[in-house]
Amino acid sequence: MNKRIMKMIVLVATFLFIMPFYKVSAQSSKYYNVTRLSGQDRYETSFNIASQVNPGVANSIIIASGKNFPDSLVGAPLSKKLNAPILLVDDFNSGLVYKSLDYISKHLSENGTIYLLGGVSSVGNNVVKQLQQSGYSNIKRLGGTDRFDTNNIIVNQMSVKNGTPVVIVNGFNFPDALSISGIAASKGYPIFMSNANNIPQSIVDKISSINPSKVYMIGGTAVLSDNVKNKLKSSLSGIEDSDIIRINGKDRYDTSLQAAKYFKLDSKYAILSNGRNFPDALSGSALAAKLNAPIILTDGKNISNQKNYIDSSDYSNVVILGGQGSVSLNAENNFNGIKLDIGGTFKGEKIIDLKTMDINNDGKIENMILTNNPNDKYNVKLYLQDASNGQIFGSKVVGDSYFGYGQIMLADMTGDGLPEIISVAQEGGNTGNETCDVETVEGNNLTKIDNYNDGENPKLESNISQDNVSFQLNGYDELEINSNNFNKSYSIDLTNDQGMQSAKENGIDVQPYISDGPIYSLYNIDGSGISGLKMSRYISGSCHADSLGGFDAYYKYENSGMKLTNIDFNSRYPMTQN
């Protein structure tokens, strides 16, 4: 072999050797907006995900078990139809963790519905009791005698149109179901569960009533055998062999990639989740449906195949579900660009909440970042950031928080079709006091709109006067509460209040006072899609814990500010209108 031929062989071999490295280098230059939604546990993670799914007023909220997956696997398409986030609960401990109840209290509309997925073994009656004690009555359980019966009940709630394609998953094996959950929800395809070797007749009957044009089986023959396919083919009229499509890969991670590649959702988002645990992806399926994004499973460490697929697609935003124990920091660092993590830091300050969307209708995605300065723990700041390049184009101090807790809510308050930013910070103490800042975004400018007429009263609660709310005790057995401005007067029967009756027996003087609050939440004005702000406060009697009643002040946007439009009174004791 002469030297020229040998030189050519060496050059070709060298080119073939460096070409893959050049490709990786070129891909790594792609710029991403990476956000991690996590918490101290699966329940706090589901709260942070729910706050992304619906940061405004929710007419429906779905509650599912954080311990068991079957009933919840098929809930993603329902969440899409209802525009409802999925909150996870622990039936064996507290029933509802604080943050889940906090989300419900701030976001659920006053006539909204809470859906429980599964029977009492999945979401126990203690959860129902806790919700009822918190004042919620529109609670609907979607649970049957077993997982397959529950499956049909959930699908019935969707009112699926005739001819809609359906998805079949193994009801005892969650990874493949999680891979398809966001995609199926985005497209409105109901998910049905099966055994590995035999699909229950009740499921077949329900599928037959839909008369689907296509059937997608997710997973290989070890997950769903050909017996399942053959039973479906023989039971469904008009279904040909080519209409039953199996999507699978060599393992759970490859299956999720194959599903993403097959359906090719038109989205700028990809969602990464650990494929060995179900909770994060379960609550994340609602977010995937909202973003029209696939859930791509990973082992949490090696994401080379996932990264190659994401790089080759149009995704520019990556959402990571769960903490670093679920998806490692090394995996996250494979993506070049912005990296934001609830609980992480931004400009040396702790991130206490994070929202991502096109807030000002400029065709680009913005990050809204709420922070608390660890060196000045009373400061809560809001930053607006261009997600395409990391540039900060707006910032301001919005409140104080002794505990470093706060959240961003987004809702259209002005009626222009664009959401305002509502930043809530917990001030501290044992009363749940909150501060609230409402900003409208015009172009790249933040404009405060939560003080009515003038800037002398920056807090909404300072608009509450004696003419709006006044109260007095009539002896120990009755609290009279009034609003002259809104022409309302009620008497509250305190004969069953232990604190007041004990004070009565011991001759202790009681002076009722406004205690807990203000606590802020959203409400839907006349079902119009325009939201208002509700401020709740409570009245104590014999001691701080002795809550006799309370009032809700309702504000809506008028004339460049928030105007007090109504006052409602409430109590756990009988109330009589005077």
Side-chain angles (χ1 to χ4, degrees), residues 17-225:
F17 178 78
I18 67 172
M19 186 172 63
F21 292 94
Y22 173 79
K23 183 178 181 181
V24 170
S25 176
Q27 289 176 342
S28 66
S29 65
K30 188 176 178 181
Y31 192 90
Y32 290 96
N33 184 59
V34 183
T35 56
R36 184 188 291 268
L37 303 178
S38 63
Q40 295 181 358
D41 54 27
R42 64 189 65 186
Y43 308 108
E44 187 175 10
T45 297
S46 78
F47 162 83
N48 287 327
I49 294 173
S51 296
Q52 292 282 344
V53 174
N54 196 331
V57 177
N59 292 320
S60 303
I61 290 175
I62 294 173
I63 290 178
S65 171
K67 294 290 188 180
N68 298 301
F69 61 84
D71 297 334
S72 311
L73 285 177
V74 298
L78 178 63
S79 76
K80 174 68 172 181
K81 184 175 183 65
L82 298 174
N83 190 27
I86 298 175
L87 286 167
L88 302 184
V89 301
D90 181 358
D91 187 46
F92 301 103
N93 292 314
S94 63
L96 273 174
V97 294
Y98 165 77
K99 283 201 168 184
S100 293
L101 192 58
D102 184 54
Y103 176 85
I104 295 171
S105 68
K106 289 192 179 301
H107 296 271
L108 183 64
S109 63
E110 293 187 340
N111 296 316
T113 302
I114 299 173
Y115 294 86
L116 311 180
L117 298 189
V120 293
S121 61
S122 295
V123 181
N125 283 329
N126 62 317
V127 173
V128 177
K129 182 178 180 181
Q130 193 167 358
L131 287 168
Q132 290 172 337
Q133 288 175 345
S134 299
Y136 304 105
S137 57
N138 294 338
I139 302 171
K140 187 170 185 177
R141 185 183 291 277
L142 304 178
T145 56
D146 58 24
R147 66 189 66 195
F148 302 110
D149 188 27
T150 295
N151 191 166
N152 280 336
I153 291 172
I154 293 173
V155 172
N156 286 340
Q157 192 67 37
M158 293 176 58
S159 302
V160 180
K161 292 182 179 180
N162 190 269
T164 301
V166 301
V167 173
I168 312 296
V169 300
N170 187 309
F172 297 85
N173 191 15
F174 62 82
D176 294 340
L178 293 179
S179 294
I180 199 64
S181 59
I183 295 171
S186 180
K187 289 184 169 294
Y189 298 169
I191 300 174
F192 288 96
M193 293 189 293
S194 172
N195 293 294
N197 294 308
N198 182 43
I199 185 166
Q201 187 60 44
S202 62
I203 296 292
V204 174
D205 291 343
K206 181 59 185 175
I207 295 175
S208 297
S209 70
I210 296 174
N211 191 26
S213 59
K214 299 283 184 185
V215 175
Y216 296 100
M217 297 177 62
I218 310 303
T221 54
V223 176
L224 292 170
S225 73

Side-chain angles (χ1 to χ4, degrees), residues 279-296:
D280 296 341
L282 185 64
S283 48
S285 62
L287 180 62
K290 177 182 179 179
L291 298 176
N292 196 38
I295 293 179
I296 299 173

Side-chain angles (χ1 to χ4, degrees), residues 421-435:
I421 304 174
I422 304 100
S423 302
V424 175
Q426 186 173 326
E427 289 184 305
N430 59 359
T431 62
N433 293 358
E434 295 176 339
T435 61

